């Protein structure tokens, strides 16, 4: 049995069609969509313990929350870019409690964490870092640009089909190859200049 990606890759070779023609582009909820999601947004951001501490404080500053709620809030506010694990959140909560920056209270028969005055004062001193983190991870969510990326990939697919059709016709003249190199080199140069700030 082939997985979704292996199946599409096999089909592309078997029938001479690029993989993205075998599924509706960016169909939500399937492995194909997830692959493009990861490709578009890149690796998850690295968050050091120092910043996690303030993300957690920020979450409980709004209202008392238990660990799972804190994980959900951070995930939602970061647009899904960062969702801390319980193994990160609970030790951080314990540390904040030991520092006197958070305290446990009971809400609906559950232990939740609330910020203290000392914790709020510490958070205020790092509010810019928290805001910068969330802003930086919600500016370009891939879902907001799905149609644009799909259209770009269609153009890439068209180039690949053009090359394949040309190669099937026989050997390309050396002069034609040199012109193709020049066109591609110029296109790559312009794309690199256009995307330099994002690379």
């Amino acid at each position: 049995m082939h997985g979704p990606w292996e199946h599409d890759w096999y089909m592309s070779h078997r029938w001479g069609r690029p993989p993205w023609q075998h599924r509706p582009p960016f169909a939500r909820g399937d492995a194909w969509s997830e692959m493009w999601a990861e490709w578009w947004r890149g690796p998850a951001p690295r968050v050091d313990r120092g910043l996690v501490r303030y993300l957690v404080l920020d979450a409980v500053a709004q209202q008392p929350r238990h660990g799972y709620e804190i994980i959900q809030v951070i995930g939602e506010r970061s647009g899904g870019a960062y969702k801390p694990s319980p193994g990160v959140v609970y030790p951080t909560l314990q540390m904040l409690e030991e520092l006197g920056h958070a305290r446990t209270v009971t809400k609906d028969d559950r232990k939740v964490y609330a910020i203290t005055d000392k914790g709020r004062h510490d958070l205020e001193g790092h509010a810019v870092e928290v805001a910068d983190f969330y802003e930086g991870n919600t500016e370009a969510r891939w879902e907001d640009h799905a149609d644009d990326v799909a259209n770009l990939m269609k153009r890439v697919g068209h180039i690949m089909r053009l090359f394949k059709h040309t190669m099937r016709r026989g050997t390309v003249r050396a002069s034609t190859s040199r012109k193709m190199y020049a066109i591609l080199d110029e296109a790559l140069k312009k794309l690199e200049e256009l995307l330099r700030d994002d690379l």
Side-chain angles (χ1 to χ4, degrees):
M1 291 290 292
H2 296 286
W5 168 248
E6 290 85 358
H7 172 75
D8 286 337
W9 191 249
Y10 167 79
M11 291 294 287
S12 70
H13 285 274
R14 176 67 180 81
W15 300 109
R17 297 170 64 188
W20 50 84
Q21 289 189 354
H22 297 283
R23 292 176 183 265
F26 294 94
R28 297 295 192 269
D30 64 9
W32 186 249
S33 177
E34 288 301 314
M35 184 193 74
W36 284 122
E38 291 303 316
W39 179 79
W40 175 251
R41 76 181 161 231
R46 297 177 63 87
V47 182
D48 61 44
R49 287 276 182 173
L51 181 56
V52 171
R53 165 181 171 178
Y54 298 110
L55 297 180
V56 171
L57 270 180
D58 179 70
V60 299
Q62 301 164 28
Q63 66 180 65
R65 303 181 194 274
H66 55 74
Y68 178 74
E69 288 177 323
I70 293 169
I71 292 170
Q72 292 299 109
V73 166
I74 294 174
E76 290 170 4
R77 288 199 61 194
S78 67
Y82 177 63
K83 194 172 184 180
S85 68
V88 170
V89 168
Y90 285 103
T92 301
L93 285 168
Q94 183 177 355
M95 178 193 70
L96 291 171
E97 191 173 9
E98 291 173 356
L99 291 172
H101 291 184
R103 61 188 178 89
T104 57
V105 296
T106 302
K107 177 183 177 183
D108 299 330
D109 297 325
R110 298 190 66 175
K111 183 174 78 171
V112 295
Y113 292 84
I115 196 169
T116 64
D117 289 340
K118 186 177 179 181
R120 196 175 298 278
H121 178 74
D122 188 31
L123 177 61
E124 287 173 357
H126 297 271
V128 173
E129 297 170 41
V130 173
D132 286 347
F133 174 80
Y134 284 128
E135 182 179 349
N137 284 299
T138 55
E139 285 179 344
R141 294 173 60 185
W142 79 271
E143 295 93 337
D144 298 333
H145 302 276
D147 291 338
D148 289 340
V149 178
N151 288 328
L152 285 171
M153 294 313 301
K154 286 179 183 178
R155 286 161 172 76
V156 173
H158 181 73
I159 293 172
M160 297 301 294
R161 291 193 299 274
L162 179 62
F163 284 167
K164 187 169 186 177
H165 177 71
T166 302
M167 296 305 166
R168 281 178 172 174
R169 288 165 47 193
T171 304
V172 178
R173 291 194 301 270
S175 59
T176 301
S177 293
R178 287 193 294 271
K179 291 176 183 177
M180 290 169 61
Y181 294 150
I183 291 170
L184 288 173
D185 286 345
E186 181 65 18
L188 286 171
K189 179 181 178 182
K190 289 182 177 179
L191 285 171
E192 287 174 353
E193 290 174 353
L194 179 65
L195 300 174
R196 183 166 294 148
D197 292 339
D198 296 326
L199 294 176

